[in-house]
Amino acid sequence: MDRRLIPLVAAAFAVGTDAFVITGLLPAISADLEVTTAAAGQLITVYALTYALAAPVLGALTAALDRRTVLLAALAVFVIGNAAFAVADDYAFAIAARIVTGLGAALITPQASAIAASIAPPERRGRYLAVVMGGLTAATALGVPLGSLLAAVDWQLTLWAVAGLGVLAAAGIAALLPSLTAPAAGLAARLAPLRDKAVLGIVTTTALVLASGYALYTYFGAAAEEATGGSQTLLTAILLAQGIGAVIGNHLAGRLTDRFGPARLMLIVQAVMVGLLGLAPFAFANLAAAIAISFAFGVVAWMAIVPQQHRLVSRHPEAAIVLIGLNSSALYAGIAFGGLVGGVSLNWLPVAALGPVGAVIGIAGLALTIAMVRAKTPAPQPAAA
């Protein structure tokens, strides 16, 4: 592996752990801050919304700056936000800390991915992107369980550990990465790719893919209750299978994107995900089936991100950071929308039926990808000087 990717992976791992581990800390956080678990849950919502709204805006505003400098600044904000959250002694301060953390995170993953794309040989771009995204998938498989283990002693230790990861990543970036500046362009020029209908279609597909999966995955614990008998240990085993699948799926995505092309891979990924979600009601009757579908879900869901990034960067390489930031926003928006749809559906449907609900959303995303592939919209050409 290109050693320049190592600190980028570390940065993505820190962001992924920070984003995913908070769910398991909510009971302890709510007790310390003297708020309800539901109120503590808004710490996740605030973070996700900050990320979704800030990523494309901050990406556009910083696109002409040195990417290494921007990434180091973003990591500094991220570390400060986590440190502030770790010492928070009231709810309002904790909310403010999560907003600060979200602002830093909104630049870290897009910048890391854009840097990976810019230093990659063209024929290996998919693999370089997959290596960076591997930091996020490793967070689901390793960072979240390790963070939960630290939280058994004190939940603040988890936040300090995440902040420490951010510091280590920053040190590696400062030591290993060169300065990387995008071609000079005004803000209007950097935002011009957002008028490309294909870009809108790609990021909408990203949102629909994540929404389809998270309509079920948000309530995965409840859906798997019959299979686990209410055992937290068995539920952890099911979720670990999903994390392992995510690591494998992300690794395969880079190679398959480079080999078959991102659009063709997305068609396969989306079709398989629709099938898995449709079968979900039958997969939670026993532990073995639940582990199997959790693993398969991890593989397929995390295989969708790299080809989407590749499609965007290939259309507008000059606006990579803006578009990757927009795709990251779509990812978080899809997670939020899927959770909302799943929650509303539970007013009328049993939790096992959330798989087919997600499949309906997934069919809409698949139809959009099919329409785009058939249209074969060419990338816009730069205007003549």
Side-chain angles (χ1 to χ4, degrees):
M1 182 176 69
D2 188 330
R3 68 180 189 140
R4 294 174 297 177
L5 295 177
I6 295 173
L8 300 179
V9 173
F13 182 82
V15 170
T17 302
D18 181 72
F20 301 135
V21 78
I22 300 299
T23 301
L25 310 183
L26 289 184
I29 293 172
S30 64
D32 274 11
L33 299 182
E34 299 181 345
V35 296
T36 65
T37 300
Q42 299 311 305
L43 293 165
I44 299 173
T45 303
V46 165
Y47 174 89
L49 287 176
T50 301
Y51 190 115
L53 294 173
V57 176
L58 293 179
L61 293 175
T62 61
L65 302 179
D66 173 45
R67 286 177 178 167
R68 184 181 67 168
T69 300
V70 172
L71 184 52
L72 288 172
L75 281 164
V77 173
F78 176 81
V79 169
I80 291 169
N82 274 289
F85 188 23
V87 300
D89 57 2
D90 68 77
Y91 184 64
F93 188 83
I95 288 285
R98 291 309 284 165
I99 291 173
V100 171
T101 305
L103 290 172
L107 271 174
I108 293 171
T109 306
Q111 287 286 347
S113 296
I115 290 171
S118 67
I119 65 176
E123 71 279 4
R124 295 178 63 85
R125 182 177 288 159
R127 294 180 212 189
Y128 273 54
L129 286 169
V131 168
V132 174
M133 291 306 299
L136 286 178
T137 57
T140 68
L142 299 174
V144 173
L146 289 174
S148 298
L149 184 64
L150 287 176
V153 179
D154 191 338
W155 67 267
Q156 286 94 340
L157 284 177
T158 302
L159 279 303
W160 286 117
V162 171
L165 284 172
V167 171
L168 289 175
I173 288 163
L176 296 177
L177 285 174
S179 296
L180 293 165
T181 304
L187 181 59
R190 294 196 296 271
L191 295 178
L194 303 185
R195 295 194 294 268
D196 182 355
K197 291 181 180 179
V199 166
L200 179 60
I202 292 169
V203 297
T204 300
T205 302
T206 295
L208 290 172
V209 169
L210 271 295
S212 68
Y214 274 80
L216 170 65
Y217 190 71
T218 302
Y219 307 95
F220 207 83
E225 190 168 357
E226 182 180 352
T228 63
S231 168
Q232 186 66 34
T233 301
L234 293 180
L235 178 59
T236 300
I238 294 174
L239 295 176
L240 180 60
Q242 189 270 338
I244 294 171
V247 173
I248 294 172
N250 180 75
H251 176 72
L252 289 175
R255 294 182 176 274
L256 295 177
T257 295
D258 288 337
R259 183 172 181 180
F260 298 112
R264 184 182 300 177
L265 180 59
M266 279 302 297
L267 288 172
I268 297 171
V269 165
Q270 290 176 264
V272 173
M273 179 172 281
V274 168
L276 286 174
L277 290 169
L279 292 172
F282 308 101
F284 292 108
N286 62 77
L287 182 63
I291 289 175
I293 198 168
S294 181
F295 173 79
F297 177 81
V299 172
V300 176
W302 283 93
M303 199 180 284
I305 298 173
V306 169
Q308 292 294 84
Q309 290 180 329
H310 194 291
R311 293 170 77 191
L312 291 168
V313 172
S314 296
R315 288 190 67 83
H316 297 281
E318 78 287 353
I321 185 60
V322 176
L323 296 181
I324 290 177
L326 184 65
N327 196 60
S328 295
S329 293
L331 187 152
Y332 275 85
I335 290 173
F337 179 67
L340 175 63
V341 170
V344 171
S345 298
L346 288 177
N347 290 321
W348 299 282
L349 300 172
V351 66
L354 293 182
V357 170
V360 173
I361 302 173
I363 289 171
L366 178 59
L368 181 56
T369 300
I370 291 172
M372 293 181 66
V373 169
R374 286 182 175 176
K376 295 182 180 177
T377 307
Q381 298 300 312

